Amino acid sequence: MELFFVISAFVLIGLFYVYKHTLSNSTKSNRINIDNFQEQIETALTLPRDSADDWQNEPATEAMLQEMADRGIWLNQQLTKGQAMNILGLFTPPDGRQVDILKYFNIPYSFKMNQTMAYYLIRELFKDPAKVAEWNNRPPTTTVRQGLLFMEGKLISGMTHVEAQRRLDKLGMTYPEQYREWKQIDRLFLETNNPEVRAKFQVRKITWKRFYESYDAVKATGVNPRVMSGEHIIEYSLRQDDSIVAHAKIRDAMQPASS
């Protein structure tokens, strides 16, 4: 692991600088000063992509080139799809899967990385077959476990995440209407615990138990889950129990005045 970080350090410093600089200078325009990022773009051009993915060696699409042009990036060379992805990834946060992998292996500052940096780190990490096996054999995530509980009311012990996800997908094909409701529940739970939404209401993280209590109650009033929002869940929860408010002073202010 120490060797992994030593090998990656120089590349990551440059890529992290790009993303940090991009965040600190964000404006309505996506254009950048290419002179400030020339070195990092050159690094991104040389980062290896998986040779097994032949499509990455195909010429970059017009859409990719246009997105680069919109950012003020014009290069006097023909780019492959892989190279274009590396460059555009300098200005894009990691996707959900990348964040999950980095968090699972306790890679620091995963939320501050860009997509290209995350890709490079994961590529180096998964050169170790033991890490690949560990990732594939990890326990099911809380979301997948909750999905199985909703779909069939039980959990089978000993399943890996891959096995549990496969089982959930199969249940979804067998019971499509119930599965569609589960997808709405999954969306709502994420919305309810979105940091910005919770900050708006100044509430703590909502547990699955409390979420389901509020969800069932709001649904019983006739609100379709498709139009339900995380704010619906929090507002109902607050009416039932203001102990979810994060700060005692706010809770006190919400109490009715004594007569």
Side-chain angles (χ1 to χ4, degrees):
M1 181 60 74
E2 291 182 2
L3 179 60
F4 162 67
F5 281 112
V6 170
I7 294 174
S8 306
F10 292 106
V11 173
L12 295 179
I13 289 172
L15 298 181
F16 178 72
Y17 168 78
V18 173
Y19 192 54
K20 183 178 179 182
H21 191 77
T22 303
L23 291 178
S24 63
N25 292 281
S26 58
T27 62
K28 292 183 179 180
S29 172
N30 286 330
R31 294 177 67 84
I32 64 168
N33 184 341
I34 193 170
D35 292 335
N36 293 337
F37 300 108
Q38 188 65 45
E39 182 178 350
Q40 289 73 36
I41 290 173
E42 290 177 1
T43 300
L45 285 172
T46 61
L47 287 177
R49 283 271 172 178
D50 297 328
S51 58
D53 295 336
D54 292 336
W55 65 267
Q56 294 188 15
N57 297 317
E58 296 173 359
T61 65
E62 288 298 323
M64 288 177 166
L65 297 176
Q66 184 59 54
E67 185 174 351
M68 290 173 59
D70 291 343
R71 293 184 177 276
I73 302 173
W74 293 275
L75 299 177
N76 189 25
Q77 67 180 90
Q78 186 174 5
L79 298 178
T80 65
K81 289 180 179 178
Q83 289 173 320
M85 286 178 63
N86 279 341
I87 293 173
L88 293 172
L90 293 172
F91 312 98
T92 308
D95 60 35
R97 178 178 178 275
Q98 289 176 326
V99 171
D100 285 345
I101 294 173
L102 295 170
K103 284 184 175 179
Y104 178 82
F105 288 105
N106 297 316
I107 305 299
Y109 305 112
S110 58
F111 63 96
K112 292 185 177 180
M113 292 184 184
N114 59 56
Q115 204 167 87
T116 298
M117 183 193 305
Y119 173 87
Y120 180 80
L121 266 174
I122 292 169
R123 182 180 181 278
E124 293 298 308
L125 190 69
F126 281 173
K127 284 182 178 179
D128 182 353
K131 296 296 183 185
V132 176
E134 182 181 348
W135 172 250
N136 289 335
N137 295 319
R138 71 197 188 281
T141 62
T142 300
T143 300
V144 172
R145 290 199 301 269
Q146 289 293 332
L148 289 173
L149 283 171
F150 180 81
M151 293 297 295
E152 57 182 353
K154 63 179 181 180
L155 289 174
I156 299 175
S157 62
M159 283 195 300
T160 66
H161 175 80
V162 173
E163 292 168 339
Q165 182 65 64
R166 190 178 297 127
R167 184 176 184 85
L168 182 59
D169 293 341
K170 186 176 180 180
L171 287 167
M173 290 186 287
T174 306
Y175 307 103
E177 186 173 344
Q178 185 180 355
Y179 186 70
R180 281 193 290 271
E181 184 178 3
W182 159 247
K183 296 304 290 183
Q184 294 301 324
I185 288 172
D186 185 22
R187 171 188 64 80
L188 279 168
F189 185 77
L190 289 174
E191 282 185 15
T192 301
N193 283 297
N194 181 293
E196 292 182 359
V197 175
R198 289 195 294 115
K200 176 181 177 180
F201 290 92
Q202 293 292 302
V203 297
R204 298 185 179 91
K205 186 173 182 179
I206 307 297
T207 64
W208 275 102
K209 182 177 183 295
R210 189 184 297 276
F211 169 84
Y212 270 122
E213 290 172 352
S214 298
Y215 171 79
D216 290 339
V218 174
K219 182 182 175 183
T221 66
V223 178
N224 190 309
R226 291 184 179 180
V227 299
M228 209 181 291
S229 70
E231 294 190 4
H232 282 118
I233 303 297
I234 292 178
E235 287 171 348
Y236 181 86
S237 298
L238 280 171
R239 289 196 297 270
Q240 301 305 306
D241 182 5
D242 64 10
S243 67
I244 65 172
V245 175
H247 303 290
K249 289 183 179 180
I250 299 176
R251 286 200 300 274
D252 293 342
M254 293 172 62
Q255 298 297 326
S258 57
S259 55

